[in-house]
mmCIF file with all atom_site columns, all heavy atoms in Angstrom:
data_model
loop_
_atom_site.group_PDB
_atom_site.id
_atom_site.type_symbol
_atom_site.label_atom_id
_atom_site.label_alt_id
_atom_site.label_comp_id
_atom_site.label_asym_id
_atom_site.label_entity_id
_atom_site.label_seq_id
_atom_site.pdbx_PDB_ins_code
_atom_site.Cartn_x
_atom_site.Cartn_y
_atom_site.Cartn_z
_atom_site.occupancy
_atom_site.B_iso_or_equiv
_atom_site.pdbx_formal_charge
_atom_site.auth_seq_id
_atom_site.auth_comp_id
_atom_site.auth_asym_id
_atom_site.auth_atom_id
_atom_site.pdbx_PDB_model_num
ATOM 1  N N   . ALA A 1 116 ? 12.816  -10.708 8.562  1.00 59.00 ? 116 ALA A N   1
ATOM 2  C CA  . ALA A 1 116 ? 12.895  -9.884  9.767  1.00 59.00 ? 116 ALA A CA  1
ATOM 3  C C   . ALA A 1 116 ? 11.554  -9.181  9.961  1.00 59.00 ? 116 ALA A C   1
ATOM 4  O O   . ALA A 1 116 ? 11.150  -8.363  9.134  1.00 59.00 ? 116 ALA A O   1
ATOM 5  C CB  . ALA A 1 116 ? 14.015  -8.861  9.617  1.00 59.00 ? 116 ALA A CB  1
ATOM 6  N N   . THR A 1 117 ? 10.857  -9.525  11.013 1.00 81.00 ? 117 THR A N   1
ATOM 7  C CA  . THR A 1 117 ? 9.526   -8.962  11.226 1.00 81.00 ? 117 THR A CA  1
ATOM 8  C C   . THR A 1 117 ? 9.457   -8.250  12.570 1.00 81.00 ? 117 THR A C   1
ATOM 9  O O   . THR A 1 117 ? 10.133  -8.611  13.523 1.00 81.00 ? 117 THR A O   1
ATOM 10 C CB  . THR A 1 117 ? 8.445   -10.059 11.195 1.00 81.00 ? 117 THR A CB  1
ATOM 11 O OG1 . THR A 1 117 ? 8.724   -11.018 12.233 1.00 81.00 ? 117 THR A OG1 1
ATOM 12 C CG2 . THR A 1 117 ? 8.414   -10.746 9.858  1.00 81.00 ? 117 THR A CG2 1
ATOM 13 N N   . LYS A 1 118 ? 8.627   -7.225  12.593 1.00 93.00 ? 118 LYS A N   1
ATOM 14 C CA  . LYS A 1 118 ? 8.298   -6.525  13.827 1.00 93.00 ? 118 LYS A CA  1
ATOM 15 C C   . LYS A 1 118 ? 6.779   -6.426  13.893 1.00 93.00 ? 118 LYS A C   1
ATOM 16 O O   . LYS A 1 118 ? 6.097   -6.478  12.870 1.00 93.00 ? 118 LYS A O   1
ATOM 17 C CB  . LYS A 1 118 ? 8.931   -5.135  13.851 1.00 93.00 ? 118 LYS A CB  1
ATOM 18 C CG  . LYS A 1 118 ? 10.457  -5.154  13.922 1.00 93.00 ? 118 LYS A CG  1
ATOM 19 C CD  . LYS A 1 118 ? 11.010  -3.742  13.987 1.00 93.00 ? 118 LYS A CD  1
ATOM 20 C CE  . LYS A 1 118 ? 12.546  -3.755  14.023 1.00 93.00 ? 118 LYS A CE  1
ATOM 21 N NZ  . LYS A 1 118 ? 13.079  -4.320  15.276 1.00 93.00 ? 118 LYS A NZ  1
ATOM 22 N N   . SER A 1 119 ? 6.272   -6.290  15.090 1.00 95.00 ? 119 SER A N   1
ATOM 23 C CA  . SER A 1 119 ? 4.842   -6.045  15.257 1.00 95.00 ? 119 SER A CA  1
ATOM 24 C C   . SER A 1 119 ? 4.612   -4.541  15.274 1.00 95.00 ? 119 SER A C   1
ATOM 25 O O   . SER A 1 119 ? 5.373   -3.791  15.903 1.00 95.00 ? 119 SER A O   1
ATOM 26 C CB  . SER A 1 119 ? 4.341   -6.670  16.563 1.00 95.00 ? 119 SER A CB  1
ATOM 27 O OG  . SER A 1 119 ? 4.443   -8.076  16.517 1.00 95.00 ? 119 SER A OG  1
ATOM 28 N N   . TRP A 1 120 ? 3.566   -4.112  14.564 1.00 97.00 ? 120 TRP A N   1
ATOM 29 C CA  . TRP A 1 120 ? 3.289   -2.685  14.431 1.00 97.00 ? 120 TRP A CA  1
ATOM 30 C C   . TRP A 1 120 ? 1.910   -2.353  14.989 1.00 97.00 ? 120 TRP A C   1
ATOM 31 O O   . TRP A 1 120 ? 0.949   -3.103  14.796 1.00 97.00 ? 120 TRP A O   1
ATOM 32 C CB  . TRP A 1 120 ? 3.343   -2.279  12.958 1.00 97.00 ? 120 TRP A CB  1
ATOM 33 C CG  . TRP A 1 120 ? 4.723   -2.336  12.394 1.00 97.00 ? 120 TRP A CG  1
ATOM 34 C CD1 . TRP A 1 120 ? 5.320   -3.394  11.766 1.00 97.00 ? 120 TRP A CD1 1
ATOM 35 C CD2 . TRP A 1 120 ? 5.697   -1.297  12.436 1.00 97.00 ? 120 TRP A CD2 1
ATOM 36 N NE1 . TRP A 1 120 ? 6.606   -3.073  11.416 1.00 97.00 ? 120 TRP A NE1 1
ATOM 37 C CE2 . TRP A 1 120 ? 6.868   -1.787  11.803 1.00 97.00 ? 120 TRP A CE2 1
ATOM 38 C CE3 . TRP A 1 120 ? 5.708   0.004   12.938 1.00 97.00 ? 120 TRP A CE3 1
ATOM 39 C CZ2 . TRP A 1 120 ? 8.018   -1.028  11.670 1.00 97.00 ? 120 TRP A CZ2 1
ATOM 40 C CZ3 . TRP A 1 120 ? 6.852   0.770   12.798 1.00 97.00 ? 120 TRP A CZ3 1
ATOM 41 C CH2 . TRP A 1 120 ? 7.988   0.256   12.175 1.00 97.00 ? 120 TRP A CH2 1
ATOM 42 N N   . GLY A 1 121 ? 1.840   -1.217  15.688 1.00 97.00 ? 121 GLY A N   1
ATOM 43 C CA  . GLY A 1 121 ? 0.571   -0.713  16.180 1.00 97.00 ? 121 GLY A CA  1
ATOM 44 C C   . GLY A 1 121 ? 0.290   0.654   15.590 1.00 97.00 ? 121 GLY A C   1
ATOM 45 O O   . GLY A 1 121 ? 1.200   1.477   15.454 1.00 97.00 ? 121 GLY A O   1
ATOM 46 N N   . PHE A 1 122 ? -0.990  0.882   15.243 1.00 97.00 ? 122 PHE A N   1
ATOM 47 C CA  . PHE A 1 122 ? -1.407  2.166   14.683 1.00 97.00 ? 122 PHE A CA  1
ATOM 48 C C   . PHE A 1 122 ? -2.652  2.656   15.416 1.00 97.00 ? 122 PHE A C   1
ATOM 49 O O   . PHE A 1 122 ? -3.445  1.852   15.915 1.00 97.00 ? 122 PHE A O   1
ATOM 50 C CB  . PHE A 1 122 ? -1.679  2.037   13.184 1.00 97.00 ? 122 PHE A CB  1
ATOM 51 C CG  . PHE A 1 122 ? -0.431  1.780   12.390 1.00 97.00 ? 122 PHE A CG  1
ATOM 52 C CD1 . PHE A 1 122 ? 0.021   0.476   12.221 1.00 97.00 ? 122 PHE A CD1 1
ATOM 53 C CD2 . PHE A 1 122 ? 0.302   2.822   11.864 1.00 97.00 ? 122 PHE A CD2 1
ATOM 54 C CE1 . PHE A 1 122 ? 1.188   0.226   11.509 1.00 97.00 ? 122 PHE A CE1 1
ATOM 55 C CE2 . PHE A 1 122 ? 1.464   2.583   11.157 1.00 97.00 ? 122 PHE A CE2 1
ATOM 56 C CZ  . PHE A 1 122 ? 1.910   1.291   10.978 1.00 97.00 ? 122 PHE A CZ  1
ATOM 57 N N   . PRO A 1 123 ? -2.834  3.975   15.490 1.00 97.00 ? 123 PRO A N   1
ATOM 58 C CA  . PRO A 1 123 ? -3.891  4.501   16.352 1.00 97.00 ? 123 PRO A CA  1
ATOM 59 C C   . PRO A 1 123 ? -5.231  4.709   15.658 1.00 97.00 ? 123 PRO A C   1
ATOM 60 O O   . PRO A 1 123 ? -5.310  4.954   14.457 1.00 97.00 ? 123 PRO A O   1
ATOM 61 C CB  . PRO A 1 123 ? -3.309  5.856   16.772 1.00 97.00 ? 123 PRO A CB  1
ATOM 62 C CG  . PRO A 1 123 ? -2.522  6.302   15.569 1.00 97.00 ? 123 PRO A CG  1
ATOM 63 C CD  . PRO A 1 123 ? -1.942  5.033   14.985 1.00 97.00 ? 123 PRO A CD  1
ATOM 64 N N   . ARG A 1 124 ? -6.263  4.608   16.473 1.00 95.00 ? 124 ARG A N   1
ATOM 65 C CA  . ARG A 1 124 ? -7.589  5.111   16.144 1.00 95.00 ? 124 ARG A CA  1
ATOM 66 C C   . ARG A 1 124 ? -7.908  6.224   17.126 1.00 95.00 ? 124 ARG A C   1
ATOM 67 O O   . ARG A 1 124 ? -7.623  6.102   18.325 1.00 95.00 ? 124 ARG A O   1
ATOM 68 C CB  . ARG A 1 124 ? -8.652  4.020   16.259 1.00 95.00 ? 124 ARG A CB  1
ATOM 69 C CG  . ARG A 1 124 ? -8.555  2.924   15.194 1.00 95.00 ? 124 ARG A CG  1
ATOM 70 C CD  . ARG A 1 124 ? -9.588  1.827   15.450 1.00 95.00 ? 124 ARG A CD  1
ATOM 71 N NE  . ARG A 1 124 ? -10.945 2.366   15.551 1.00 95.00 ? 124 ARG A NE  1
ATOM 72 C CZ  . ARG A 1 124 ? -11.706 2.289   16.639 1.00 95.00 ? 124 ARG A CZ  1
ATOM 73 N NH1 . ARG A 1 124 ? -11.257 1.681   17.738 1.00 95.00 ? 124 ARG A NH1 1
ATOM 74 N NH2 . ARG A 1 124 ? -12.900 2.810   16.645 1.00 95.00 ? 124 ARG A NH2 1
ATOM 75 N N   . CYS A 1 125 ? -8.475  7.310   16.615 1.00 93.00 ? 125 CYS A N   1
ATOM 76 C CA  . CYS A 1 125 ? -8.898  8.410   17.487 1.00 93.00 ? 125 CYS A CA  1
ATOM 77 C C   . CYS A 1 125 ? -10.291 8.095   18.001 1.00 93.00 ? 125 CYS A C   1
ATOM 78 O O   . CYS A 1 125 ? -11.255 8.071   17.226 1.00 93.00 ? 125 CYS A O   1
ATOM 79 C CB  . CYS A 1 125 ? -8.901  9.733   16.727 1.00 93.00 ? 125 CYS A CB  1
ATOM 80 S SG  . CYS A 1 125 ? -7.275  10.251  16.148 1.00 93.00 ? 125 CYS A SG  1
#
Side-chain angles (χ1 to χ4, degrees):
T117 60
K118 293 182 181 292
S119 295
W120 291 91
F122 292 86
R124 291 176 55 242
C125 296

